[in-house]
Amino acid sequence: MTDINADVPTLTGQDIGQAERATRAVLDALLAETETSFLQWVTVNVLAGAGSPVERERLVAQLTTGLRIDEPTALPAVDEVITRGLVVGTGEPVRLELTPAGQARYRTIRQGIDQIAQRLYGDLPPEDLATAHRILAIVAERANAELGA
C-alpha cells in the first residue's frame, strides 16, 4: 500500500504561518495593554538594541528591510513614537534615541514577551528549540535568496 502523504514535508510554510499568526496574536494582546502598535514596538525595540542614537534614515531603512514594508508605512511609526514621547531626535542629521518613558515602555513590553516565551517554549526540550531555530534560519535564508534573485 502506498502512502499518499509520503512526499508531503513534515514542516510546511502553512505550519510556520499558523505558528507565527498565533504567537503574533498573543504579542498583539500584550501590545494593546500598553497602547503600543506593532510598528511602534519594533521601532522602540530597534532603538533599545542599538546602544547609541540611530540616524533617522538608518532606522527607517532597518524597519523597511526587516519588516519588508515600504517607507510610507515605516515613517508614521517613527513619527508616532516621537509624538508619544518615547523617542527624541537631536542633531543634524537627526539621531533618535529612547527617552526615559521609551526605556520604561521597552522594559515593560520586553518583560511581557519574556513571560510569553516562557509559557509557549519553556517546557520544550532545548535541543528541539535549537533544531527548530536552525531549520527556520535556513528556510528564511533560502526565501531571502529567492527574493534577491
Side-chain angles (χ1 to χ4, degrees), residues 11 121 123-139:
L11 177 67
Y121 309 124
D123 65 342
L124 298 174
E127 58 277 1
D128 288 353
L129 293 172
T131 298
H133 177 79
R134 278 194 312 276
I135 296 301
L136 292 173
I138 291 168
V139 170

Side-chain angles (χ1 to χ4, degrees), residues 54-57 89-96:
V54 176
E55 285 186 24
R56 182 185 177 91
E57 287 183 19
T90 57
E92 188 58 42
V94 175
R95 299 176 69 77
L96 302 172

Side-chain angles (χ1 to χ4, degrees), residues 39-49 81 86-87 98 102 106:
L39 288 177
Q40 291 168 359
W41 162 243
V42 174
T43 303
V44 166
N45 190 46
V46 168
L47 290 171
V81 292
L86 302 175
V87 171
L98 295 178
Y106 169 79

Side-chain angles (χ1 to χ4, degrees), residues 33-117:
E33 292 173 14
T34 63
E35 298 180 354
T36 307
S37 74
F38 177 73
L39 288 177
Q40 291 168 359
W41 162 243
V42 174
T43 303
V44 166
N45 190 46
V46 168
L47 290 171
S52 62
V54 176
E55 285 186 24
R56 182 185 177 91
E57 287 183 19
R58 182 170 153 238
L59 175 63
V60 170
Q62 286 181 274
L63 295 174
T64 59
T65 302
L67 296 174
R68 299 197 184 283
I69 58 176
D70 59 12
E71 196 171 293
T73 303
L75 286 170
V78 173
D79 292 339
E80 288 165 5
V81 292
I82 293 170
T83 300
R84 296 182 81 191
L86 302 175
V87 171
V88 65
T90 57
E92 188 58 42
V94 175
R95 299 176 69 77
L96 302 172
E97 63 184 318
L98 295 178
T99 63
Q103 292 168 3
R105 179 76 53 93
Y106 169 79
R107 285 190 302 273
T108 296
I109 295 172
R110 183 78 254 161
Q111 289 170 351
I113 289 171
D114 291 346
Q115 292 169 357
I116 291 167

